[in-house]
Amino acid sequence: MAGVSVATASKALNERGSMMPQTRERVQAAARALNFRPNAMARALVSQRSFTLGLLTNDTYGRFTLPVAAGLSEAMVDRGVSVFLCAIEDDPERARVNLDAMQEKCVDGLVLAGKRVDRALPLDLSGLSLPVVHVYSARPPGGIGFEPDDEAGAALAVAHLAGLGRRRIAHVTGPVGFAAVPMREAGWRRALAEAGLSPFGEPLSGEWSEDFGFRAAGLLFGPETGPERPDAVFCGNDQIARGLMDALALMGVGVPDDVAVVGFDNWEIFAQATRPALTSVDMALKEVGRQAGLTILDMIDGKRVEPGTRRLPCRLVVRRSCGGAGG
Amino acid sequence: MAGVSVATASKALNERGSMMPQTRERVQAAARALNFRPNAMARALVSQRSFTLGLLTNDTYGRFTLPVAAGLSEAMVDRGVSVFLCAIEDDPERARVNLDAMQEKCVDGLVLAGKRVDRALPLDLSGLSLPVVHVYSARPPGGIGFEPDDEAGAALAVAHLAGLGRRRIAHVTGPVGFAAVPMREAGWRRALAEAGLSPFGEPLSGEWSEDFGFRAAGLLFGPETGPERPDAVFCGNDQIARGLMDALALMGVGVPDDVAVVGFDNWEIFAQATRPALTSVDMALKEVGRQAGLTILDMIDGKRVEPGTRRLPCRLVVRRSCGGAGG
DNA sequence: ACAACCAAAGAAAACGGTTTCCTTGGTTGA
DNA sequence: TCAACCAAGGAAACCGTTTTCTTTGGTTGT
């Protein structure tokens, strides 16, 4: 110690109370010399805030959760908040155990992250008095949710295609049961309308797979197709786009010359693997995680936060597959 | 309260000390009625153990880290231990900030997870008096590391091919700079030797990409190739296998009839997308995370743990691409 | 010269548990 | 009958901070 009481030391280090500058100096110097680190737990005990958040996710595969978690963790560490990771795997029992653990660890708030915006995590939140935000998953009435704005993202992609002069823009997408499907379709329709274009037929709805993209290419460009063929395809995800482009290559249809292709997800591993590289809508999930974190901090601070779902903007990553300026 | 002192209550709930069974009952009933949760922080303060671990990772993409993290988190939650996730992104400054945060939060131990077994995380661990294990990353001398046993995994794959009657087994793999490359190559050589076979040429070393796999197919099966062609290819990862199989399809080489293909990583999204589905070596990263966690708990308990790298067994996931019994 | 005030620093309580030690009263054995 | 012992439960210290309240001594105003 620097010859002062703990009370003085505490004030000196936290810039609180009034004291002689030289005393403050002396304490801080001593702290530095001792490599002193305040014990966050003791601090939490008295302040009733642990500066800790829980992240519960059922997305083992990590395609959605990991960017969200990274964005959350990054934004939080700057504010002295750390994030517990809980993998619950769609198992209600495991979810409960993890939720209990989070309560015992006195987290200040909870982020619930899923892999489908229209499915809730298998958690019973009733009787829980913690701030909670729902990310990329369904929220209960009155809850607070964060998602990418799929509709706007889709519109972004389609508007880009229209801006490049494409006129017959088809849409190949996933199963109708997914909420993302109608949202992305709505964006497609809106952007077409705004560009004065008509939809090229109805969207082709199948699975979120390369295989379906491959088959969809046959439906759109195969021999039994009528004279009217699309000059662009907006795909519901990158896997579909990948399969579609593989099929187009086999059919001798040139990308982007004959047809432009845009995907959704900007999953690097797919977007970079297609020939040419795939233009795709990036859901900016890191930013989603960031915003979710900042919002939950506001809630912890007692600020009033409007219930509802926030849809955050996507951005278009332009590569070669849509022609024009890109790449 | 159930009419007893806090001391008695504590003992009742922790099954400690001696007391009348009915007193214990009464306290536990009261605890249940009040939905009582012991405050982990207060407990940590006195016991000097936070039942908390830090997971620092530079693998933003999550391909390696997420399974490790899930395995770790799962194994730990059963033991009342929670895991902080810290995304450090190869940035030494961010690494330091997160490390400081973990020290302030009084974690009982640290798991450092990377995305390359031959690279250490950008962290200065000197002067750190915490148990640390290194997962899928380089460890300092005397440190404790966990990795999949690439050599044995590769041997598993090649032995399987040999067992199916394949005799001319080629190897297409990643850049020589990666430690995984010589390890997998060694497994290939060992399994060949054990089966009484010779290597089919030297391994083709390139990038970990579909594109390289595609080109490698040309080198192995192209028109300028000699009369001897492989009847099996063991690929250094699934992306290479995917590119190779795409090329084979274009070249009219049948899989698995003309040539069997095996990949490495068992990355579902690739392994399932190939036609036919890809047999691949699964690194069992969840188990790696589990073991790393259990070991660090041992270290926390003061048990002596041998320094060195533990290589955990891989398993072969058999699908159609290698013919034989699979799928 | 003395009351009033103020800045600086320390004492002590609090946070929510665990643990050590002590008290109480009943039972046992000589 | 009395010492010795034991089980049950309570009092209090402790973990490492923050915060409130108190003390101390110097300065100001009259």
Side-chain angles (χ1 to χ4, degrees):
Chain A
M1 276 293 163
V4 300
S5 72
V6 287
T8 309
S10 172
K11 287 175 206 155
L13 296 176
N14 294 304
E15 309 286 340
R16 204 149 310 192
S18 71
M19 57 174 41
M20 304 218 320
Q22 70 206 50
T23 308
R24 179 154 296 170
E25 276 299 320
R26 195 153 36 90
V27 173
Q28 291 179 343
R32 237 169 295 129
L34 270 56
N35 206 351
F36 172 82
R37 275 177 207 301
N39 182 323
M41 223 118 26
R43 178 179 294 179
L45 199 55
V46 44
S47 69
Q48 303 292 42
R49 285 200 40 187
S50 63
F51 290 89
T52 280
L53 249 45
L55 172 65
L56 275 69
T57 177
N58 64 350
D59 177 26
T60 311
Y61 195 72
R63 173 156 155 219
F64 301 112
T65 286
L66 213 95
V68 170
L72 179 68
S73 161
E74 271 178 39
M76 294 301 97
V77 75
D78 295 331
R79 291 159 179 80
V81 174
S82 301
V83 179
F84 283 117
L85 176 71
C86 303
I88 66 171
E89 301 262 7
D90 273 322
D91 171 357
E93 173 60 13
R94 180 164 304 178
R96 209 190 47 71
V97 171
N98 274 285
L99 185 58
D100 284 356
M102 291 299 95
Q103 289 194 263
E104 289 191 5
K105 295 286 195 310
C106 300
V107 294
D108 298 330
L110 240 33
V111 177
L112 271 38
K115 52 190 169 188
R116 247 184 100 161
V117 295
D118 47 8
R119 290 278 187 276
L121 270 66
L123 269 175
D124 176 21
L125 298 172
S126 61
L128 195 68
S129 60
L130 280 175
V132 175
V133 306
H134 303 258
V135 175
Y136 215 83
S137 57
R139 65 176 172 82
I144 295 173
F146 284 84
E147 305 173 2
D149 190 343
D150 283 40
E151 197 267 356
L156 208 59
V158 175
H160 182 75
L161 290 170
L164 292 171
R166 307 289 172 162
R167 291 288 165 263
R168 301 181 303 283
I169 304 176
H171 184 32
V172 180
T173 188
V176 286
F178 280 74
V181 165
M183 290 197 282
R184 293 174 192 176
E185 178 186 337
W188 172 67
R189 289 191 191 280
R190 175 163 66 79
L192 288 175
E194 285 172 2
L197 301 174
S198 307
F200 185 87
E202 284 300 300
L204 294 178
S205 174
E207 308 119 40
W208 294 120
S209 66
E210 285 189 48
D211 191 55
F212 174 62
F214 196 95
R215 296 199 312 271
L219 298 176
L220 289 170
F221 297 90
E224 73 281 10
T225 313
E228 277 280 285
R229 294 185 171 184
D231 59 7
V233 182
F234 167 52
C235 298
N237 77 357
D238 288 349
Q239 289 174 77
I240 291 176
R242 168 76 197 267
L244 183 101
M245 284 175 70
D246 281 358
L248 293 183
L250 291 179
M251 296 159 78
V253 179
V255 174
D257 294 341
D258 299 330
V259 55
V261 179
V262 177
F264 205 106
D265 284 352
N266 191 34
W267 201 0
E268 294 278 339
I269 208 78
F270 282 97
Q272 297 285 4
T274 59
R275 301 280 143 225
L278 181 66
T279 294
S280 185
V281 178
D282 188 302
M283 296 188 283
L285 291 171
K286 244 177 146 168
E287 181 62 17
V288 172
R290 239 181 79 82
Q291 293 295 336
L294 296 180
T295 300
I296 213 165
L297 290 188
D298 281 348
M299 296 168 72
I300 293 167
D301 288 340
K303 296 194 193 143
R304 164 130 187 81
V305 173
E306 283 298 310
T309 296
R310 278 84 165 144
R311 295 187 211 280
L312 271 48
C314 302
R315 60 181 230 284
L316 187 68
V317 177
V318 178
R319 299 198 184 84
R320 306 278 310 275
S321 70
C322 59
Chain B
M1 274 294 163
V4 300
S5 71
V6 287
T8 310
S10 172
K11 287 175 206 156
L13 296 175
N14 294 305
E15 309 286 339
R16 205 149 310 193
S18 71
M19 58 176 41
M20 303 217 321
Q22 70 206 51
T23 308
R24 179 154 297 171
E25 275 299 321
R26 195 152 36 89
V27 173
Q28 292 179 343
R32 240 169 292 128
L34 270 55
N35 205 351
F36 171 82
R37 273 176 208 303
N39 181 325
M41 222 117 28
R43 178 178 293 178
L45 199 54
V46 45
S47 70
Q48 303 291 45
R49 284 199 42 186
S50 63
F51 291 91
T52 281
L53 250 45
L55 172 65
L56 275 69
T57 177
N58 63 351
D59 177 25
T60 312
Y61 195 71
R63 172 154 157 223
F64 301 113
T65 286
L66 215 96
V68 169
L72 178 68
S73 161
E74 272 177 39
M76 293 302 96
V77 76
D78 295 332
R79 290 159 179 80
V81 174
S82 301
V83 179
F84 283 117
L85 176 72
C86 303
I88 65 171
E89 301 261 7
D90 273 324
D91 171 357
E93 172 59 13
R94 180 165 305 175
R96 209 190 47 71
V97 171
N98 274 285
L99 185 59
D100 284 357
M102 290 301 95
Q103 290 195 262
E104 289 192 5
K105 295 286 195 310
C106 302
V107 294
D108 297 330
L110 240 33
V111 177
L112 271 38
K115 52 189 167 186
R116 245 185 102 161
V117 295
D118 47 8
R119 290 278 187 276
L121 269 66
L123 268 175
D124 176 21
L125 298 172
S126 61
L128 194 69
S129 60
L130 280 174
V132 175
V133 306
H134 302 258
V135 174
Y136 215 83
S137 56
R139 65 175 170 83
I144 295 172
F146 285 85
E147 306 173 3
D149 190 342
D150 283 40
E151 197 266 357
L156 208 59
V158 174
H160 182 74
L161 290 171
L164 292 171
R166 306 291 170 160
R167 291 289 164 264
R168 299 182 304 284
I169 304 175
H171 184 32
V172 180
T173 187
V176 286
F178 280 73
V181 165
M183 289 196 282
R184 294 174 193 177
E185 177 185 337
W188 171 68
R189 288 191 192 279
R190 174 164 66 81
L192 289 175
E194 285 171 4
L197 301 175
S198 308
F200 184 88
E202 285 300 299
L204 295 178
S205 174
E207 308 119 42
W208 295 120
S209 67
E210 286 189 48
D211 191 55
F212 175 63
F214 196 95
R215 295 200 312 273
L219 298 176
L220 290 170
F221 298 89
E224 72 280 9
T225 315
E228 277 279 285
R229 294 184 171 184
D231 59 6
V233 182
F234 168 51
C235 298
N237 78 356
D238 288 349
Q239 291 175 74
I240 291 176
R242 168 76 196 266
L244 183 103
M245 284 175 69
D246 281 357
L248 293 182
L250 291 179
M251 297 160 79
V253 179
V255 174
D257 295 340
D258 299 330
V259 56
V261 178
V262 177
F264 205 107
D265 283 354
N266 191 34
W267 201 358
E268 293 278 340
I269 208 77
F270 282 97
Q272 298 286 4
T274 58
R275 300 280 142 229
L278 181 66
T279 293
S280 185
V281 178
D282 188 302
M283 294 188 285
L285 291 170
K286 246 178 144 167
E287 180 63 17
V288 172
R290 239 182 78 83
Q291 292 296 336
L294 296 180
T295 300
I296 212 164
L297 290 188
D298 280 348
M299 295 168 72
I300 293 167
D301 288 340
K303 297 194 192 141
R304 165 130 187 78
V305 173
E306 283 298 309
T309 296
R310 279 86 165 141
R311 295 186 212 280
L312 271 48
C314 302
R315 61 180 228 285
L316 187 68
V317 177
V318 177
R319 298 197 185 83
R320 308 275 312 274
S321 70
C322 59

